Amino acid sequence: MIRSRQIQRPQLVLVVDDQEINRDALGVILETEDYEVLYAENGVEALEIMREHIEDLTIVLLDLMMPVMNGIEVLKYVRTDEAMKRIPIIVLTADKSAELEALQLGASDFITKPFDLHEVVLARVNRIIELNEGRNLISAAEHDPLTMLYNRNFFYEYANRLFRYHPDLHMDAIVLNIDQFHSVNALNGRDFGNKVLRLLGAEIRDFLKETDGIACRFEADRFEIFCTYHQEYRSILERFQKKLDGLAPNVNIHLRMGVEPWREGIEPVILFDRARAACNMVRGDYQNSLMIYDEEMLLRELLNQKLLNDLRVAPGEGHFRVYYQPKYDIQCDPPRLCSAEALIRWIHPELGLINPVDFVFLFESNGLIRVVDNFVWQEAARQVAKWKEKYHFTMPVSVNVSRADIFDLTLTDRLLQIMKENHLDFDEMKLEITESACTENVKQVVSLVENLREIGFEIEMDDFGSGYSSLNMLSSMPIDVLKMDMKFVGNIEKSETDRRLVKLILDIAKYLKLRVVAEGVEKESQLALLKEAGCDLVQGFYFSKPLPPEEFEILIQKELDRRRGPVL
Ligand code: C2E
Ligand code: MG
Ligand code: MG
C-alpha cells in the first residue's frame, strides 16, 4: 500500500549538509528512486524548509557537523515541535560517538560517512519511510481526529493490556458525558459543538499526563478515562467543568461524571459498564453531577445478574406463581367481588419470595418481561377456565401487558392463541396497559389498542396519573377502564387537593364513559370517600392482598354463597 502511494506521487526528501559534494552524492542516489529532493546547507535553512513543507516532507537526512546551526541543535528543536516531530530524521555522520546523543534526541537511523553503497543508503531511507508511514497509519486509526484521544476499540485494547500486564497499577474507570449535548449543537451549531469537544479532549489529554492514564472519545459526547487511582473525583469533575463554563452565552454546558474506583481483578469493560451506569444515574441532575459506583449498586447489579440468569429456568421449574388480587364493585351493598388482577410472584429457591418491583423494571429494560408476561397470560387463562369449570362461574381476570409486549408484532396472535386454547370469551380476560407505555409512540399504541378492542378485548389503563399522561392522550386512547394510581388514594383523606383530583378524574372518566378502578385502598375511610365520590371499583389491601389461587377460591366461594343467599 505504501509502495503504490510512492508510485502516485514522488516523495519529498530534505538533505541537510554543508558540503556540496555530500549533497550531490545523496541527490544522485535518491533521484534514482524517484524521490524529489530539497537541499539545505545548515540547520537554520533546514528548519525553514521543514516548516514550509510540514505537510508533505517525508524524511530528512541531517548532517551533524554544520556551521550556523548544527544537527544536534536541529534535533533538539524538532523535539519540541509537535508537527515537526512526526517527520523522521536520519543522521549523517562520520563520528560514531555522536550516535547515542542523536538517538536520544529522536533520530531514527544513521548513515555513515563516507556513504556506503548506493543500495545500502536507499534501503535505509526506504525502511525508515515505510516504518514511519506505518506508524502514522496506525496512529490515524487509533485516534479520534477531533480530540486526538483514542477511539474506543484501541482504548479498550490498551486498557486490557494495562489490566493484564500491570496488575500493580490501580486504575479507576471514569465516564464523562455532556448533558443535553444535542441542544448545545442545536443552539450554537456543530462547529461550536466540535469546539467544545476539542477543548474537553485537550483538557483530558493534560490530565492524562498527570495520571499516567489513557482516554477515548467513546462516541459523540461520551469520554472514558482509565487513570491511576485518584479519589479526588469531585475536583477532577470541577476541573473539566471549568474549561466549559462560559463558553457560550446562551447555553449552560453541563458535565456529568460516573466513576467506578479500582477494584481488584475486575476487567476494564466491566469497570466502564459500572462507571457508565453511575454516570447515567445523574443524567439531567444539575444539583449532583457526580456518581461513584458503590457497594449498594454492586449488590444490586449482582442480584440483577442472578435474576437475569435464573429467569431462564424459572417458568419451567415452577418458580413463578400467579397471585390474584380481587376488585370489588363498591356501589353495591355489600361490595361485590367482580374481577381480579393477575400478578406475578417469583418463589426463588435461594432468595425466597421476590415481588415484581424487584424484577419487572429490570426485565422491561431488556424486553425479557415478555417471558414473564407470556407465562402469566397462559397461567391466568388456564385458571379462569378451571374456575369456570369448577364453579360454573366466570371470574374475569386482568393481566398486565408491558411496554415490550406492545411493540411486539406477535402480541395479538399470542393473546388470541391463549384465549382459544382455554375457550375463553373476551369478557373473561382483560388487558392492563400501563400509562407510561402509552406516552411513547402514541400513534402506534393507539392503533394497537384500537385493533385489540375491535377484536373484542377490554383495555384498562393502569397507573393513570402516575406519569405525564395528558388529557389529550386520554381522549385519543380508546380504552374501557381507568385504573387510578394509588398515590391519589393514599392521600385522599389528608389532602384536599387530592380529593379534588380524584373527583376530577371521576368526572372526566364519566364524561368519556370509562369505568374507574381505584387502586391501593387500604382503609375503610378511603373506601367511604371513594364511594361517595362515585367510584365504581376498588382494588386494595382493604379487601385483600394478592392471593395464591387456592386462597382466592375462598373469596369466590364467599361471593357465590352471597349471591345464592337471601340478599340476591
Ligand atoms: P400494578 O399492575 O399497578 O399492580 C398493583 C400493585 O399494587 C400490586 O403490586 C399490588 O400488590 C399492589 N397493591 C394493591 N393494593 C394495594 C394496597 O392497598 N396497598 C399497597 N401498598 N399496594 C397495593 P405488585 O404485585 O407488587 O406489583 C407491582 C407492579 O409490578 C404492578 O403494578 C405491575 O406494574 C407489575 N407487575 C406485576 N405483575 C406483573 C406481570 O405479570 N407482568 C408485568 N408486565 N408487570 C407486572
Ligand atoms: Mg396492573
Ligand atoms: Mg396499577
Side-chain angles (χ1 to χ4, degrees), residues 373-374 377-378 381-382 399 401 408-431 448 450-459:
D373 286 343
N374 221 37
W377 302 343
Q378 287 187 10
R382 209 188 48 75
V399 292
V401 174
D408 178 348
L409 296 176
T410 66
L411 170 73
T412 312
D413 290 344
R414 280 196 287 144
L415 284 168
L416 286 176
Q417 179 71 20
I418 291 170
M419 302 292 282
K420 197 168 136 201
E421 276 167 13
N422 294 282
H423 312 289
L424 295 188
D425 284 335
F426 290 106
D427 60 355
E428 292 172 308
M429 194 160 105
K430 307 173 184 194
L431 309 177
L448 175 85
E450 268 171 358
N451 185 253
L452 287 169
R453 285 186 85 229
E454 262 165 39
I455 293 170
F457 281 107
E458 228 179 67
I459 311 289

Side-chain angles (χ1 to χ4, degrees), residues 341 400 432 462 483:
E341 175 176 8
N400 287 287
E432 289 190 12
D462 207 354
K483 291 192 77 179

Side-chain angles (χ1 to χ4, degrees), residues 416-550:
L416 286 176
Q417 179 71 20
I418 291 170
M419 302 292 282
K420 197 168 136 201
E421 276 167 13
N422 294 282
H423 312 289
L424 295 188
D425 284 335
F426 290 106
D427 60 355
E428 292 172 308
M429 194 160 105
K430 307 173 184 194
L431 309 177
E432 289 190 12
I433 300 180
T434 175
E435 175 200 76
S436 60
C438 301
T439 49
E440 271 173 39
N441 296 323
V442 180
K443 262 192 188 158
Q444 197 178 338
V445 182
V446 168
S447 94
L448 175 85
V449 170
E450 268 171 358
N451 185 253
L452 287 169
R453 285 186 85 229
E454 262 165 39
I455 293 170
F457 281 107
E458 228 179 67
I459 311 289
E460 307 183 14
M461 188 186 282
D462 207 354
D463 308 327
F464 179 77
S466 63
Y468 299 101
S469 51
S470 63
L471 292 175
N472 186 26
M473 194 254 301
L474 195 59
S475 66
S476 59
M477 194 66 67
I479 53 166
D480 302 279
V481 175
L482 233 171
K483 291 192 77 179
M484 190 162 52
D485 193 70
M486 39 180 115
K487 74 173 179 210
F488 296 111
V489 176
N491 288 332
I492 195 172
E493 300 156 283
K494 284 168 260 149
S495 152
E496 170 68 23
T497 316
D498 276 19
R499 258 199 307 281
R500 286 205 194 153
L501 272 175
V502 168
K503 187 82 187 98
L504 187 69
I505 292 173
L506 288 168
D507 285 348
I508 293 168
K510 201 169 175 186
Y511 177 76
L512 293 171
K513 299 192 173 57
L514 305 174
R515 271 165 293 143
V516 176
V517 178
E519 281 195 84
V521 177
E522 294 181 352
K523 299 186 210 154
E524 188 158 10
S525 47
Q526 294 167 335
L527 182 76
L529 280 167
L530 286 163
K531 186 172 176 177
E532 194 193 308
C535 178
D536 303 313
L537 301 162
V538 153
Q539 177 181 346
F541 293 174
Y542 173 76
F543 287 110
S544 169
K545 290 190 169 178
L547 299 170
E550 57 280 8

